[in-house]
């Protein structure tokens, strides 16, 4: 199973990915977090933020996720995935693995206020180029499986909604 948390920088992807992993740990379900921020320091360190590089970044993450999922892990991806064409690419690669697109929806001005890494500030100063939300686009996901409003919901509430929707047996999509 692959759970892809997507959204603007500061929308809550890393926070929720960590919380989801903790929940899976407690339930003795083997899981692994692939965080864009972390991958870009290693396996994707050669890539920048042009559409071409983001596409290569997503291609690598999707293939990695698929392999890990096939090995029996629940894979939690935390990556912006800003364009619909990138979402199509990810879906095509992941193919028949159980896959959930979860959009962490949060207004740009709120993400900007949160600015956990100070990158919005740098982007507005021109110190960071092609920054999603400021100088690079973020398209609203067209067909997410779930939308979580992280502006209105707390981290705990967001986590609970994600767990409920993934584990709901009547949808035939449980673990
Ligand atoms: N120009 C620019 N645009 C967007 N993000 C930037 C940029 N430069 C550095 N960062 C940091 O990289 C993290 C996003 O990497 P991703 O691999 O998730 O991005 S993408 O899916 O390929 O668009 C992102 O992490 P999050 O804040 O967790 O989203 C940023 O910390
Ligand atoms: N519902 C929520 N879900 C996740 N994070 C939230 C939520 N509400 C507020 N936050 C806060 O927003 C910030 C999001 O930061 P982070 O998880 O690093 O975002 P991202 O990985 O998308 O850049 C954190 O400081 C977190 O405490």
């Amino acid at each position: 199973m692959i759970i892809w948390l997507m959204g603007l920088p500061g929308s809550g992807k890393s926070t929720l990915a960590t919380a989801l992993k903790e929940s899976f740990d407690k339930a003795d379900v083997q899981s692994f977090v692939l965080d864009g921020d972390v991958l870009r320091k290693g396996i994707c360190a050669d890539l920048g933020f042009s559409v071409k590089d983001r596409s290569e970044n997503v291609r690598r993450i999707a293939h990695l996720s698929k392999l890990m999922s096939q090995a029996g892990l629940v894979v939690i991806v935390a990556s912006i995935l800003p364009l619909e064409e990138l979402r199509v690419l990810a879906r095509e690669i992941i193919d028949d693995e159980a896959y959930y697109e979860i959009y962490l929806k949060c207004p740009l001005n709120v993400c900007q206020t949160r600015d956990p890494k100070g990158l919005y500030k740098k982007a507005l100063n021109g110190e960071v180029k092609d920054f999603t939300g400021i100088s690079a686009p973020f398209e609203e996901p067209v067909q997410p499986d779930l939308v979580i409003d992280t502006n209105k919901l707390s981290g705990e509430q967001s986590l609970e909604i994600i767990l409920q929707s993934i584990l709901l047996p009547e949808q035939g999509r449980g673990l």
Side-chain angles (χ1 to χ4, degrees):
M1 175 190 289
I2 300 166
I3 302 164
W4 198 308
L5 305 175
M6 62 194 68
L8 283 166
S11 57
K13 302 182 296 295
S14 301
T15 305
L16 276 169
T18 305
L20 267 171
K21 167 107 181 65
E22 282 169 9
S23 297
F24 286 126
D25 286 349
K26 279 186 198 142
D28 274 333
V29 174
Q30 295 285 327
S31 64
F32 197 89
V33 175
L34 292 176
D35 193 312
D37 231 8
V38 176
L39 297 176
R40 280 176 173 279
K41 294 193 176 90
I43 197 170
C44 299
D46 55 322
L47 302 174
F49 290 88
S50 64
V51 173
K52 188 163 171 273
D53 278 9
R54 286 184 202 250
S55 178
E56 175 58 15
N57 182 50
V58 167
R59 191 188 69 80
R60 290 182 201 174
I61 297 174
H63 277 292
L64 204 50
S65 304
K66 186 172 184 175
L67 288 172
M68 295 175 98
S69 176
Q70 285 171 339
L73 289 166
V74 173
V75 184
I76 306 155
V77 182
S79 151
I80 300 174
L81 207 60
L83 304 175
E84 206 48 38
E85 67 180 82
L86 302 178
R87 297 173 195 132
V88 170
L89 174 66
R91 235 178 276 131
E92 278 173 3
I93 293 169
I94 290 167
D95 193 24
D96 55 0
E97 290 300 297
Y99 177 46
Y100 297 87
E101 275 191 15
I102 301 183
Y103 172 33
L104 304 187
K105 192 175 163 87
C106 188
L108 179 62
N109 65 319
V110 175
C111 292
Q112 245 174 282
T113 310
R114 290 178 178 172
D115 204 8
K117 295 168 209 150
L119 286 173
Y120 279 102
K121 193 161 171 248
K122 285 191 176 168
L124 287 166
N125 289 340
E127 290 169 58
V128 176
K129 303 265 174 279
D130 296 329
F131 192 73
T132 308
I134 301 295
S135 42
F138 182 87
E139 298 171 355
E140 291 275 305
V142 171
Q143 52 169 71
D145 295 297
L146 190 61
V147 180
I148 305 283
D149 190 339
T150 65
N151 182 32
K152 302 221 172 76
L153 299 167
S154 69
E156 291 75 19
Q157 289 169 321
S158 304
L159 173 68
E160 198 49 42
I161 293 172
I162 295 174
L163 286 173
Q164 287 294 325
S165 61
I166 288 171
L167 300 174
L168 272 182
E170 62 267 27
Q171 292 183 0
R173 305 177 71 183
L175 278 171

